Amino acid sequence: MLKKERQAYILHQINLHNKVLSAQLCEEINVSEDTIRRDLQELADGGKLIKVHGGALSHSFSQINFNNNQVYSLENKMVVARKAARLIKDGMFVLTSGGTTIMELAKALPPTLRATFISGSIPAVIEYMNHPNSEVVVIGDKVSKNARITVGPEAISQIRRIRADICFLGINAIDTKHGVTDNDWDVVMIKRAMIESAQKVVCLSISEKINSFQPLHVCEIGQVDMLITEKDPSAPEMEPFRQLGIEVL
């Protein structure tokens, strides 16, 4: 694979998953760690990503308030968010993870909604505060600078004391074999706790993340109640999920 092709692949992966791991890229592209390191440094020097130890981050997470100009597939994420917002009713207790699609969900909420939102996502909490009729509960602990979400044992303990009506997960990857997967261990532990603490689990994902997987396991596919993408629910790629009893919206 030529350098231009490698770097295009790296940028696509970081746009999809917000974070890339050098070791995983070496395996996927079949090149040395030194080659990946040079590619990441060159892309970072060009302002296209943020190089960190062991990999790189998307610029979507470089500021507390997401810049819409830097959000990958924004229009599709807005479609997903509008579908998800329709599921939230007055009086609900709602758990949400972090990520750009969750941010769009927060923006899509009707101003008259009276619900309680529980999250450790710093950008999402700020957005929820713009809705005067809804309550906001912040899950507290150490803040992951990469994911802009609180992580750690105290955050997990707090989540486990909650019994939410619904949980919305912004996800990195999902397929019928591996279930929901991610690339950040601290975030994985938070998502696992949220899944255990909610009556209904809803995964929010643009269709490009469907039938992909990451190194870290979040949950089995059978633990997902609903999957929301920008696609029509009858799209062929949604059929395997429907056959497993997952509601597709």
Side-chain angles (χ1 to χ4, degrees), residues 233-247:
S234 62
E237 57 265 47
M238 300 296 108
E239 180 60 26
F241 298 95
R242 291 196 299 270
Q243 289 182 356
L244 292 172
I246 297 171
E247 186 178 356

Side-chain angles (χ1 to χ4, degrees), residues 22 27 134 162 170 211 232 241:
S22 297
E27 183 177 343
S134 288
I162 296 166
N211 296 322
D232 188 283
F241 298 95

Side-chain angles (χ1 to χ4, degrees), residues 155-219:
I156 292 169
S157 177
Q158 289 177 30
I159 293 168
R160 285 177 173 163
R161 293 196 294 268
I162 296 166
R163 288 298 174 263
D165 296 293
I166 193 167
C167 170
F168 292 97
L169 295 180
I171 62 171
N172 259 321
I174 185 171
D175 68 358
T176 55
K177 179 180 178 181
H178 301 90
V180 179
T181 51
D182 210 302
N183 54 24
D184 186 312
W185 178 250
D186 287 332
V187 174
V188 165
M189 299 306 291
I190 291 294
K191 288 181 176 180
R192 286 180 181 176
M194 287 185 168
I195 289 166
E196 293 171 3
S197 297
Q199 295 182 41
K200 187 171 187 177
V201 176
V202 181
C203 290
L204 311 184
S205 176
I206 58 173
S207 58
E208 282 188 80
K209 297 182 182 182
I210 302 297
N211 296 322
S212 68
F213 66 94
Q214 291 288 292
L216 304 177
H217 183 254
V218 177
C219 72

Side-chain angles (χ1 to χ4, degrees), residues 14 36 43 49 95 136 185 235:
I14 206 167
I36 291 298
L43 290 168
L49 52 75
L95 266 171
V136 184
W185 178 250

Side-chain angles (χ1 to χ4, degrees), residues 26 30 54 69 85 101 128 147-148 151 157 163 167 189 194 224 248:
C26 291
N30 193 27
N69 293 328
T101 307
Y128 293 141
R148 304 294 188 185
V151 297
S157 177
R163 288 298 174 263
C167 170
M189 299 306 291
M194 287 185 168
V224 176
V248 179

